[in-house]
Amino acid sequence: DTAVSQTPKYLVTQMGNDKSIKCEQNLGHDTMYWYKQDSKKFLKIMFSYNNKELIINETVPNRFSPKSPDKAHLNLHINSLELGDSAVYFCASRNRGFDYGYTFGSGTRLTVV
Amino acid sequence: GESVGLHLPTLSVQEGDNSIINCAYSNSASDYFIWYKQESGKGPQFIIDIRSNMDKRQGQRVTVLLNKTVKHLSLQIAATQPGDSAVYFCAELPTGKLIFGQGTTLQVKP
């Protein structure tokens, strides 16, 4: 009964490859997010979708492309992976208008070699 | 720009003692703050929140204090237990996006 689930949990890939991370939430939330956590544990927002519409797009290289097929899913596709993309990526969801209701997934650890 | 920062990267306490984790924020327009706990290999989990019209809010073993004058908040954990070992983040919510601080690692010594 995982509320926010991400796959895969671990991803090791070579520089230059293209990879995707998937996220699904079963909470009925209308807004989903991607956060990146670096090696110093700093969490930074990347994207946010509300009902399949992009509402937040931080300064992220255009190699990163989020896709939301429906409000329960938010996937992250990364082209031409670079060493600096190595991090833990967290998906989160909430109902817009309810400040406190952020629920995070358990993260995807991406290692680019 | 906006930033939320923590004073200490690591806090080590004895089991049973009280822990105090501090946070400074820079956006004086922020009116809502949240503390999160992140255990190893997991995502951040909500602990407690506070709105700017309050100075103090208590939960089970946790208390958050907000000082708007100096833009500072703190998380107090009473009778710290080994299960409290984690990274703790303060976060603020201006303009619909959650902004996290750097994080403080809490180590509980048996």
Side-chain angles (χ1 to χ4, degrees):
Chain A
D1 271 16
T2 306
V4 180
S5 59
Q6 300 178 224
T7 54
K9 189 168 177 63
Y10 301 97
L11 183 55
V12 181
T13 187
Q14 290 188 323
M15 282 174 56
N17 283 349
D18 303 338
K19 290 293 178 185
S20 291
I21 306 171
K22 296 186 176 183
C23 179
E24 176 182 5
Q25 54 95 4
N26 62 5
L27 298 165
H29 288 168
D30 60 10
T31 306
M32 296 184 71
Y33 303 83
W34 278 110
Y35 278 80
K36 179 181 180 181
Q37 186 171 46
D38 63 22
S39 59
K40 296 183 179 178
K41 298 288 188 182
F42 185 64
L43 274 157
K44 186 169 167 46
I45 189 169
M46 299 174 69
F47 300 103
S48 174
Y49 270 75
N50 175 258
N51 279 324
K52 303 192 295 176
E53 180 185 350
L54 181 66
I55 56 171
I56 295 174
N57 185 350
E58 293 294 294
T59 309
V60 177
N62 57 16
R63 297 183 295 104
F64 290 78
S65 52
K67 283 186 172 52
S68 181
D70 55 60
K71 72 174 189 177
H73 295 83
L74 181 61
N75 304 322
L76 183 64
H77 188 75
I78 315 170
N79 289 325
S80 304
L81 278 155
E82 300 177 358
L83 293 176
D85 298 331
S86 296
V88 182
Y89 292 84
F90 287 99
C91 179
S93 72
R94 70 164 175 135
N95 268 333
R96 206 174 185 187
F98 291 84
D99 292 338
Y100 53 87
Y102 281 78
T103 303
F104 284 82
S106 57
T108 295
R109 182 175 292 277
L110 171 66
T111 304
V112 183
V113 297
Chain B
E2 302 148 336
S3 69
V4 182
L6 290 167
H7 293 317
L8 292 174
T10 302
L11 175 66
S12 187
V13 299
Q14 204 71 37
E15 181 178 354
D17 287 353
N18 295 335
S19 303
I20 300 176
I21 300 172
N22 295 306
C23 179
Y25 63 95
S26 61
N27 190 337
S28 54
S30 290
D31 62 357
Y32 181 64
F33 304 90
I34 311 170
W35 280 99
Y36 281 90
K37 173 185 181 184
Q38 186 180 18
E39 295 174 285
S40 181
K42 296 184 180 180
Q45 289 180 289
F46 173 93
I47 303 173
I48 191 167
D49 59 357
I50 189 167
R51 292 204 174 272
S52 59
N53 60 355
M54 303 172 71
D55 297 322
K56 179 179 178 179
R57 190 158 188 227
Q58 286 185 289
Q60 190 177 17
R61 283 201 307 119
V62 294
T63 301
V64 55
L65 299 178
L66 176 63
N67 185 329
K68 295 180 288 294
T69 303
V70 294
K71 291 188 282 188
H72 179 272
L73 65 158
S74 65
L75 177 71
Q76 300 178 0
I77 304 174
T80 311
Q81 301 169 0
D84 295 327
S85 294
V87 179
Y88 289 81
F89 296 92
C90 62
E92 59 178 325
L93 192 66
T95 63
K97 57 183 180 182
L98 200 59
I99 298 173
F100 284 87
Q102 187 68 32
T104 293
T105 300
L106 177 63
Q107 297 174 340
V108 182
K109 296 179 288 187

